[in-house]
Amino acid sequence: MDIRVERTSLPKAKPDWDNLSFGRYYTDHMFVADYTEGSGWHDLRVVPYAPISLDPAAMVLHYAMEVFEGLKAYAAKDGRVLLFRPMENARRLNSSATRICMPDFPENDFLEALKVFVRTEQDWIPRQADTSLYLRPVMIANEPHIGVRVSRQFQMFIIASPVGAYYPEGLNPVRIYLEDEYIRAVRGGTGFTKCGGNYASSLIAQKKAEKLGFTQVLWLDGVEKKYIEEVGTMNVMFMIGDEVITPELGGSILPGVTRSSVMELLRSWNVKVSERRISIDELYSAARSGDLRESFGTGTAAVISPIGAFSINGELLCVGDGGIGPLSRKLYDTLTGIQWGSLPDPFGWTCEVPL
Ligand code: COI
């Protein structure tokens, strides 16, 4: 499909590249496409960044019919601009959309849209260490209709934000609070999707954790409240003895692109990786006995986020010596090295944007 590009006549001032933090600045343009039942996706365009117009009866505003993605564009030292496994995002967007009864966005058009959009915004890709251009594709149901049914009209847009570290801690270990009151997801629900509703319902626990001095929450399964699922906005991994354990996907956990990349990297280094259920009791015992050597969250926004301590039932349990573990450091360096094009990419994960 053709993508029309309309450039802004009023480019914004660029931010202070050394103080980006996460999600504070937005670029000059956005990608937009519309969907109408019967005609499919049409009018693919890159246009000046501007508020979108929505009828107050638009279904997304009433019934949260929204799904999104997150990925990054990286500026390599040799001048190339790279995306990381964008087809994984294309596939996951469609898997989320199917669950919320929204249409597929063709995967090849998704990739083409990213390339055209990122090429238009190339001056917004930060060059500083550990910075990137975060891309946020979003699909919404914008048909004006307040009866509860599947929408017949949708909009897809992609915005971009130059970002630094997601957490103010950067690579320094975060402290995590075990949430035992609220739950994030149950099997059969929407936990495996990136739909806005998952994040809205998680905020109350995040607020509680922050008030108690923690960065994020550790979510338990919604049935027995016994097995570990995720950490806040990330998947989670534990190194117990010589084994790295991550909760198995089962419908309630987000299938993270960073999660699967980390597992592939670990296996290529002959580290034993298990996707299996891990109970809070197992974590507690491992932390008490000193077998819990490392733990970290994985996510596009946060990359690898070492966890220094867990608060479990009022007890603060340290992970290893509370610092950045050697495996977390190696994973961060390798993954970011591949993403920024400074290390070889034996897995073929990076995808160059033609400039
Ligand atoms: C990501 O890691 O890209 C996310 O989507 C997490 C969060 C910023 C919502």
Side-chain angles (χ1 to χ4, degrees):
M1 258 185 275
D2 273 354
I3 303 176
R4 170 171 69 82
V5 179
E6 178 193 329
R7 286 189 167 273
T8 181
S9 52
L10 287 172
K12 299 172 190 165
K14 298 289 190 300
D16 172 1
W17 299 118
D18 293 316
N19 285 297
L20 289 173
S21 72
F22 187 88
R24 229 177 36 212
Y25 305 101
Y26 297 91
T27 62
D28 282 326
H29 301 89
M30 60 200 220
F31 168 83
V32 187
D34 292 302
Y35 178 96
T36 326
E37 198 177 66
S39 317
W41 290 103
H42 55 90
D43 207 7
L44 280 63
R45 58 213 187 262
V46 171
V47 289
Y49 187 98
I52 55 173
S53 158
L54 279 180
D55 191 295
M59 296 180 95
V60 59
L61 300 177
H62 301 266
Y63 308 121
M65 291 142 85
E66 183 262 6
V67 296
F68 70 95
E69 270 305 319
L71 71 163
K72 289 171 172 170
Y74 307 86
K77 288 238 156 47
D78 58 11
R80 288 177 306 147
V81 168
L82 303 172
L83 300 171
F84 185 72
R85 308 187 77 183
M87 292 307 266
E88 296 297 314
N89 299 93
R91 282 189 272 275
R92 193 174 58 187
L93 180 79
N94 287 339
S95 141
S96 301
T98 302
R99 176 63 180 80
I100 313 289
C101 294
M102 303 174 88
D104 270 16
F105 193 84
E107 288 169 13
N108 289 336
D109 290 338
F110 180 87
L111 184 60
E112 191 54 24
L114 287 172
K115 287 182 176 170
V116 173
F117 177 46
V118 169
R119 183 165 62 229
T120 313
E121 301 301 60
Q122 56 184 285
D123 293 350
W124 282 91
I125 307 172
R127 260 81 191 156
Q128 273 67 4
D130 299 328
T131 62
S132 55
L133 186 65
Y134 186 79
L135 304 165
R136 171 52 61 86
V138 183
M139 194 194 293
I140 56 170
N142 62 354
E143 181 187 350
H145 184 82
I146 55 170
V148 180
R149 62 151 170 76
V150 174
S151 177
R152 296 172 186 148
Q153 193 183 300
F154 299 88
Q155 188 165 73
M156 160 99 171
F157 57 88
I158 309 176
I159 55 173
S161 174
V163 297
Y166 185 71
Y167 295 119
E169 287 92 338
L171 195 60
N172 291 320
V174 293
R175 292 176 359 133
I176 302 293
Y177 177 78
L178 171 72
E179 175 53 54
D180 54 7
E181 182 184 2
Y182 304 105
I183 53 140
R184 176 184 173 275
V186 284
R187 286 173 190 222
T190 57
F192 69 95
T193 72
K194 273 187 101 65
C195 71
N198 286 346
Y199 295 80
S201 68
S202 75
L203 287 176
I204 192 159
Q206 186 178 320
K207 189 169 143 192
K208 183 167 128 192
E210 279 168 6
K211 206 161 159 197
L212 294 166
F214 296 89
T215 310
Q216 277 288 350
V217 300
L218 182 64
W219 293 109
L220 295 180
D221 75 277
V223 178
E224 297 176 71
K225 288 198 179 171
K226 183 173 169 194
Y227 296 101
I228 295 163
E229 299 239 306
E230 288 188 26
V231 163
T233 55
M234 306 180 288
N235 294 118
V236 66
M237 303 205 180
F238 307 96
M239 186 180 197
I240 299 183
D242 290 329
E243 181 187 14
V244 174
I245 304 159
T246 192
E248 66 190 6
L249 303 177
S252 56
I253 293 177
L254 187 83
V257 178
T258 312
R259 174 186 183 277
S260 78
S261 309
V262 161
M263 286 195 300
E264 280 193 57
L265 276 176
L266 289 172
R267 287 186 177 126
S268 75
W269 298 337
N270 293 321
V271 175
K272 182 170 180 222
V273 186
S274 305
E275 283 181 271
R276 64 164 170 88
R277 297 220 285 188
I278 169 164
S279 70
I280 198 66
D281 292 343
E282 184 178 348
L283 178 66
Y284 184 85
S285 310
R288 290 298 299 264
S289 67
D291 287 341
L292 178 61
R293 293 164 61 188
E294 293 190 38
S295 179
F296 50 88
T298 64
T300 298
V303 197
I304 303 292
S305 179
I307 297 172
F310 289 99
S311 160
I312 301 181
N313 303 330
E315 208 177 322
L316 193 68
L317 295 167
C318 250
V319 180
D321 64 3
I324 305 171
L327 192 67
S328 308
R329 163 66 71 188
K330 183 174 174 191
L331 281 167
Y332 180 84
D333 289 345
T334 310
L335 199 58
T336 55
I338 295 173
Q339 290 170 333
W340 271 271
S342 57
L343 286 181
D345 173 17
F347 303 93
W349 283 337
T350 52
C351 166
E352 192 173 339
V353 175
L355 299 177

